[in-house]
Amino acid sequence: MRLKDKVGIVTGAGSGFGEGIAKGYAAEGASVVINDINEQAGRRVAREIEDSGGKASYVFADVTSDGDVAAMVDETFSLYGRLDVVMNNAGYTYVNRWLLDVDEDEFDKVFDVNVKALYLSAKHVVPRFMELGGGCFLTVASTAGLRPRPGLTWYNASKGAAITLTKSMAVELAPHNIRVNCLCPVLGDTGMTDRFVGGEVTPDVMSKFVSTIPLGRMSTPADLANAAIFLADPASSFLTGLALEVDGGRCI
């Protein structure tokens, strides 16, 4: 098992990519804190991991709340006594549309969930990693931050910020043996797919999106889990500052 005796937090783990990553970590031997603002979904994932023989606990936190993130990290140490990996997966977007039709509240929520949450995660996790002599700080960014599509300008910008701060944090935290990387998936079948495509998810709409992906399919939770496991594995100990494109060639 590649993550035996490791402890990880996965935010937004109640569905989609986060669920896949959390289950992948548990299957590789990690104890996983399942975080999601949807308590029912988060508890379901934790229960399914435990039913399959893994170790998991659900911990509620709004990742945009300083107090909630602090409490989640404290609870992780209360439960498992350490923390090796934090996977910042929680994300948000609005329905695909003209950039000036996005109102201020939606703009703020995109940057709160996709960027401010990373600041809060770093604020409460990095000091713990420093005390432990190192750690792995991971984020689910997006190909949107590398090769933007029209209609998602502010979302694209938030993911560009996530990629830039990944690289900057990697340099600044390297002396503390803290590795910082992010994953850049292409469109996948998640709870936000209809927002990305701007409406009903029909076979015709999806075929147009998939036609832009050289390998001919969307990202899956398993794709993200495999990449996230590798970047948390000690085997990747010399990798930091990556924006790993898990995109079937979309960014080529």
Side-chain angles (χ1 to χ4, degrees), residues 129 134-138 170 173-174 177-181 230-241:
F129 281 168
C136 184
F137 191 96
L138 297 171
L173 297 177
N177 194 35
I178 298 171
R179 297 189 299 114
V180 187
N181 293 293
F230 171 64
L231 289 176
D233 187 337
S236 66
S237 63
F238 202 53
L239 299 180
T240 195

Side-chain angles (χ1 to χ4, degrees), residues 89-176:
N89 166 76
Y92 178 78
T93 191
Y94 48 84
V95 176
N96 186 309
R97 62 188 184 278
W98 168 240
L99 75 169
L100 298 184
D101 287 338
V102 177
D103 64 36
E104 186 175 356
D105 287 343
E106 288 178 303
F107 175 91
D108 287 344
K109 186 169 183 178
V110 165
F111 273 80
D112 281 350
V113 177
N114 297 351
V115 183
K116 180 183 176 182
L118 304 182
Y119 160 75
L120 295 176
S121 180
K123 177 181 176 181
H124 296 290
V125 169
V126 168
R128 300 290 194 134
F129 281 168
M130 291 173 67
E131 291 171 1
L132 292 167
C136 184
F137 191 96
L138 297 171
T139 296
V140 174
S142 174
T143 55
L146 297 168
R147 193 176 176 201
R149 295 182 189 270
L152 292 168
T153 288
W154 312 118
Y155 171 80
N156 298 339
S158 73
K159 292 302 185 178
I163 292 166
T164 298
L165 70 84
T166 291
K167 294 177 179 294
S168 186
M169 286 177 63
V171 174
E172 193 160 351
L173 297 177
H176 302 287

Side-chain angles (χ1 to χ4, degrees), residues 27-50:
E28 290 293 338
S31 299
V32 187
V33 168
I34 306 297
N35 161 258
D36 202 282
I37 200 166
N38 183 327
E39 181 174 354
Q40 182 177 0
R43 291 192 181 280
R44 173 188 61 79
V45 173
R47 184 174 61 252
E48 289 177 0
I49 288 173
E50 292 187 309

